Amino acid sequence: MDKKVIIIPTYNEKENIERIIRKVFSLEGDYHILVIDDGSPDGTASIVKVLQTEFPERLYMIERAGKLGLGTAYLTGFKWALDKGYDYIFEMDADFSHNPDDLQHLYEACAKGGADLAIGSRYCDGVSVVNWPIGRIIMSYYASVYVRRTLGMKVYDCTAGFKCYSAKVLRTIDLDKVQMHGYGFQIEMKYTAYRLGFKIAEVPIIFVNRKEGSSKMSSGIFGEAFWGVIKLRFRDIKPKI
């Protein structure tokens, strides 16, 4: 059986973390979870530690000293997962904006459909977003249009953060050269995989805005992504040696 791990970055997710962990572990497929907690002052890590006694062979955590960025959290998780020999590595939010039931669809797109990277896409089948303000939907949708036209990458949801990578993708990408650390990280990783010739598939999902906790989005995150995309267009991307 393939070894599968879901990386979940957290900062102040005490309202969600136990529910999302129990939901994932209720699914078929023997998923493991790696929580990357950035020093949450609300006690998120303490909740995870208690759950680790209940799920000692499936639940893992890396604690970091503070908010070091979404991208660095995932990069830390990727390196850990590759070192542990996982075959498929997932990204997922803790707040139920990504439906854990869709994990199997992402996995099957890779394991059975031949994709190297499967993206849970909000925009490949119209607009599938629930409870977002219309302004944010427009901004997110046209951000992907901007990325797609600037980079020539045929991906409808370029900023999606619900993904399944085959291990060979992450072994091929030089993770130490990834430059963007906010939500631009999601664009950079997709584009790097695309430029390296990997097969990318989009799986339609319904994205639901969080009900508990607060969003980590900021104007600085969008600024990094906007200018980072222009730099990406001219970057020489090569596989890790």
Side-chain angles (χ1 to χ4, degrees), residues 13 15-16 19 95 209-214:
E13 293 288 356
E15 296 94 347
N16 297 305
R19 292 190 300 117
D95 60 10
N209 194 28
R210 65 161 63 233
K211 295 180 180 179
E212 302 289 345
S214 58

Side-chain angles (χ1 to χ4, degrees), residues 59-74:
L59 179 59
Y60 304 92
M61 180 169 61
I62 295 174
E63 294 183 81
R64 305 199 301 174
K67 293 185 71 175
L68 301 177
L70 180 76
T72 65
Y74 277 126

Side-chain angles (χ1 to χ4, degrees), residues 27 35 69 80 121 138 158 163 166 168 172 191 209 227 235:
L27 302 173
V35 174
W80 180 93
S121 178
I138 292 171
C158 296
K163 297 187 285 183
S166 66
K168 66 180 179 181
T172 303
Y191 184 62
N209 194 28
W227 295 111
R235 188 185 303 174

Side-chain angles (χ1 to χ4, degrees), residues 132-141:
W132 255 10
I134 187 63
R136 187 166 177 186
I137 293 174
I138 292 171
M139 182 167 55
S140 173
Y141 178 83

Side-chain angles (χ1 to χ4, degrees), residues 109-153:
C110 290
K112 297 181 181 180
D116 301 302
L117 167 61
I119 301 168
S121 178
R122 298 164 290 186
Y123 305 129
C124 70
D125 187 20
V127 177
S128 300
V129 178
V130 177
N131 291 337
W132 255 10
I134 187 63
R136 187 166 177 186
I137 293 174
I138 292 171
M139 182 167 55
S140 173
Y141 178 83
Y142 281 103
S144 282
V145 172
Y146 161 72
V147 172
R148 191 163 63 248
R149 292 181 176 175
T150 302
L151 298 180
M153 179 172 59

Side-chain angles (χ1 to χ4, degrees), residues 15-77:
E15 296 94 347
N16 297 305
I17 193 62
E18 180 171 356
R19 292 190 300 117
I20 197 75
I21 288 171
R22 291 193 181 279
K23 173 60 178 178
V24 169
F25 288 160
S26 75
L27 302 173
E28 295 183 2
D30 192 31
Y31 294 97
H32 292 187
I33 293 175
L34 171 65
V35 174
I36 311 284
D37 187 70
D38 273 5
S40 299
D42 71 345
T44 297
S46 297
I47 296 170
V48 175
K49 288 176 182 176
V50 171
L51 290 170
Q52 282 182 301
T53 65
E54 186 176 346
F55 305 104
E57 303 298 324
R58 299 180 69 185
L59 179 59
Y60 304 92
M61 180 169 61
I62 295 174
E63 294 183 81
R64 305 199 301 174
K67 293 185 71 175
L68 301 177
L70 180 76
T72 65
Y74 277 126
L75 291 171
T76 297

